[in-house]
Amino acid sequence: MKDNNSKQVLLSVLGVAILVVAVVGVSFAAFTFSQTGQKVNTISTGTITMSYSEPENGITLTNAMPMQDSTGMDLDGANETFDFSVGATISGSGETTINYAITAVTTEGSTLTDEYVKVYLTNMNSNADTAITGYTTPKTVSSLSKTSSDASGAQDGQYILHSGTFDATTTDSYRLRMWVADNYAVTGSKETYTLRVNVYGQAAAQ
């Protein structure tokens, strides 16, 4: 009888140990990163680290006048641009790919509507300030695609500013410009508009 009880206890302990190992294994494989408008954030699984750094929490227009795209694309003053970087460190054996997305959310209290706000995203690696693929011309916020079951793990319904993959240790720097479209009819009332920039990343299925 005691032998049977001992066997049952031993089997129970082994079962729990196997379950713990399985859970740890799944957690290690299912790397997910999300960053929503904080100063600096880093998350690591031991082989993958992804970080998002930003000097502010987003970019805001307050009582701005409409402007032509050619002027908006050249904005470079204080409070006229939003600079941030996204990086990944991948180490260890085997090939790993991270799907990532840079998204934007209009914050509560914005009075301008999305179709009257233009955005223009450039790559600032080596201070190049060159247009990201898809931004040969500026876009209205309302024309941006929205996330839906995104491979990056991004929450559904957010505007996609840019998406891509990391398969090696990389840091990319970006600059976002935003202005009031020149087809907006000024009403005389004070208008405001704020975008919060988020970054999401998730290891691709192997």
Side-chain angles (χ1 to χ4, degrees):
M1 192 70 169
K2 288 184 178 179
D3 287 343
N4 288 336
N5 288 338
S6 297
K7 287 180 180 178
Q8 288 179 352
V9 170
L10 180 60
L11 288 173
S12 297
V13 170
L14 286 174
V16 171
I18 291 169
L19 179 61
V20 168
V21 170
V23 170
V24 170
V26 169
S27 298
F28 185 80
F31 163 78
T32 300
F33 167 90
S34 67
Q35 169 60 36
T36 55
Q38 300 296 323
K39 294 285 183 175
V40 178
N41 190 70
T42 301
I43 189 167
S44 175
T45 64
T47 59
I48 303 171
T49 301
M50 189 169 175
S51 62
Y52 168 42
S53 64
E54 50 170 338
E56 303 293 341
N57 288 331
I59 185 168
T60 300
L61 294 171
T62 303
N63 208 26
M65 296 299 291
M67 65 178 65
Q68 295 183 345
D69 289 351
S70 57
T71 302
M73 293 165 67
D74 288 333
L75 292 172
D76 62 0
N79 302 319
E80 293 181 334
T81 61
F82 176 58
D83 291 355
F84 62 97
S85 61
V86 180
T89 301
I90 302 173
S91 60
S93 59
E95 295 184 0
T96 302
T97 299
I98 300 174
N99 297 312
Y100 74 92
I102 301 169
T103 69
V105 178
T106 307
T107 64
E108 186 177 351
S110 296
T111 57
L112 277 172
T113 53
D114 297 336
E115 67 266 29
Y116 292 120
V117 178
K118 290 287 190 76
V119 289
Y120 183 59
L121 187 66
T122 61
N123 188 300
M124 292 297 292
N125 291 347
S126 302
N127 294 316
D129 202 6
T130 55
I132 296 293
T133 301
Y135 283 87
T136 51
T137 59
K139 300 180 178 182
T140 59
V141 174
S142 60
S143 72
L144 298 171
S145 299
K146 287 191 174 182
T147 53
S148 177
S149 301
D150 198 79
S152 68
Q155 298 175 18
D156 288 349
Q158 299 191 15
Y159 288 116
I160 302 174
L161 291 171
H162 182 59
S163 61
T165 59
F166 289 129
D167 55 15
T169 297
T170 308
T171 298
D172 287 330
S173 299
Y174 299 95
R175 172 167 290 173
L176 178 65
R177 295 173 171 90
M178 185 171 76
W179 62 92
V180 180
D182 60 2
N183 64 339
Y184 174 72
V186 178
T187 62
S189 59
K190 184 176 181 179
E191 304 284 8
T192 184
Y193 187 90
T194 300
L195 276 185
R196 188 181 73 238
V197 177
N198 305 325
V199 174
Y200 297 87
Q202 182 168 270
Q206 299 296 308

